[in-house]
C-alpha cells in the first residue's frame, strides 16, 4: 500500500477556502464527511481566537446550505453542515480513496493523509486535476502490513509476551518465564523479542504527527 500526506491548495469559491483565508489564524478540522449525489455533509471542529466571527462567516457563505452547532466551548465550536461544493469529498468518492480523518484546513490549504493501492492514489491525482485542485506531496512511502514485517516466530513471541503479562505494569512475567513458556533459550528469546519490539515501536512512530522541522520550530 502507498501512504501519502498531501497539501491541497483550495480554489476560491468553496466555504473552506474562503473562510479559512479570511481567518488565517483559525484551524478547521473535518472529523467526518459524507459526499452525496449533489451536496456534501460533514462535521467540522473549528478553533480560532474569535470563533463566533468564523462561525458567522461560515453560516453566511453561499456554498453552505445548512449548519447545526453540536458543541461549543471557549475559542472552539463543532458544526455539522451541508455544502453545495464538497470538492475534497467528491475527489475521495470518485477515486475510491477515503481520506483519513481529521482533514486539517488552514489559510486555504488542506492537509490530507491517504492510504491505498498505487493505482487508486494515481486516480486521486487525476480527480484533483479534474476538479481544479492543485496539491503538493509532503511525504510518500510504501507501507507493509505488520504481519509482513515480523517472522512467524517473532509474531508468536510478541503475542505470548502480551498474553503472559510481560508488558503489564507491574510486570507479571519475566524474560526467563517468557522464554520457558515459548520453549526458547533466554538469549534467543531476548533477541527475537527485541527485534519484534523494534518493528512495533517504529511502526507506531510512523503514525504519530510529524514533528516540526528545526527551522520551523524557531520561527
Amino acid at each position: 500500500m502507498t501512504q501519502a500526506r498531501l497539501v491541497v491548495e483550495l480554489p476560491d469559491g468553496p466555504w473552506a477556502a474562503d473562510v479559512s483565508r479570511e481567518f488565517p489564524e483559525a484551524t478547521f478540522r473535518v472529523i467526518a464527511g459524507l459526499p452525496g449525489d449533489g451536496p456534501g455533509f460533514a462535521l467540522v471542529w473549528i478553533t480560532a481566537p474569535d470563533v463566533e466571527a468564523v462561525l458567522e462567516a461560515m453560516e453566511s457563505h453561499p456554498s453552505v446550505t445548512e449548519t447545526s452547532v453540536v458543541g461549543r466551548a471557549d475559542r472552539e465550536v463543532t458544526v455539522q453542515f451541508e455544502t453545495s461544493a464538497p470538492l475534497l469529498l467528491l475527489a475521495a468518492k470518485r477515486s475510491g480513496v477515503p481520506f483519513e480523518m481529521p482533514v486539517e484546513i488552514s489559510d486555504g490549504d488542506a492537509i490530507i493523509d491517504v492510504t491505498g493501492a498505487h493505482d487508486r492514489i494515481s486516480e486521486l491525482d487525476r480527480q484533483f486535476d479534474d476538479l481544479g485542485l492543485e496539491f503538493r506531496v509532503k511525504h510518500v512511502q510504501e507501507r507493509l502490513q505488520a504481519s509482513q514485517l515480523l517472522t512467524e516466530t517473532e509474531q508468536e513471541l510478541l503475542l505470548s509476551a502480551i498474553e503472559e503479562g510481560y508488558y503489564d505494569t507491574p510486570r507479571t512475567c519475566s524474560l526467563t518465564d517468557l522464554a520457558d513458556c515459548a520453549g526458547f533459550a533466554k538469549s534467543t528469546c531476548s533477541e527475537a523479542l527485541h527485534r519484534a519490539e523494534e518493528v512495533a515501536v517504529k511502526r507506531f512512530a510512523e503514525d504519530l504527527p510529524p514533528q516540526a522541522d528545526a527551522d520551523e520550530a524557531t520561527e
Side-chain angles (χ1 to χ4, degrees):
M1 292 187 296
T2 300
Q3 185 179 50
R5 170 162 291 185
L6 312 174
V7 181
V8 181
E9 183 179 342
L10 302 175
D12 293 339
W15 78 268
D18 295 346
V19 177
S20 68
R21 289 192 178 103
E22 182 181 353
F23 298 92
E25 72 284 0
T27 300
F28 304 79
R29 295 179 178 88
V30 180
I31 54 181
L34 176 66
D37 294 333
F41 307 87
L43 194 66
V44 62
W45 173 36
I46 305 169
T47 56
D50 188 353
V51 73
E52 294 300 328
V54 176
L55 180 59
E56 182 178 347
M58 177 184 176
E59 291 175 334
S60 63
H61 194 278
S63 73
V64 175
T65 53
E66 184 179 336
T67 62
S68 177
V69 175
V70 297
R72 189 192 301 264
D74 184 36
R75 298 166 65 94
E76 65 180 60
V77 64
T78 302
V79 185
Q80 183 175 325
F81 67 95
E82 177 182 315
T83 176
S84 60
L87 295 183
L88 294 178
L89 293 178
L90 283 176
K93 180 180 181 181
R94 292 176 181 177
S95 65
V97 178
F99 296 161
E100 298 175 21
M101 298 298 177
V103 171
E104 185 172 307
I105 302 171
S106 180
D107 198 15
D109 287 344
I111 299 176
I112 300 174
D113 291 320
V114 294
T115 302
H118 182 74
D119 60 337
R120 288 291 185 181
I121 302 296
S122 297
E123 179 59 27
L124 178 62
D125 185 348
R126 287 191 287 272
Q127 292 300 327
F128 280 156
D129 286 340
D130 289 346
L131 293 168
L133 297 172
E134 296 184 2
F135 73 96
R136 66 182 185 274
V137 178
K138 195 164 187 179
H139 67 72
V140 62
Q141 63 183 13
E142 293 301 318
R143 185 178 179 90
L144 299 175
Q145 296 291 342
S147 59
Q148 297 175 278
L149 301 174
L150 298 175
T151 66
E152 184 176 347
T153 297
E154 290 165 349
Q155 291 182 53
E156 292 176 353
L157 185 58
L158 185 61
L159 292 174
S160 294
I162 295 171
E163 183 178 347
E164 296 297 326
Y166 183 77
Y167 294 111
D168 289 353
T169 304
R171 180 174 289 174
T172 57
C173 172
S174 68
L175 180 61
T176 300
D177 294 334
L178 181 61
D180 290 342
C181 179
F184 293 133
K186 184 176 180 180
S187 59
T188 302
C189 180
S190 176
E191 182 178 347
L193 189 60
H194 178 73
R195 157 69 180 159
E197 290 170 342
E198 177 187 8
V199 171
V201 170
K202 288 181 177 178
R203 186 59 178 269
F204 173 78
E206 288 178 1
D207 294 327
L208 294 175
Q211 297 296 311
D213 294 337
D215 291 343
E216 295 177 353
T218 57
E219 290 181 356

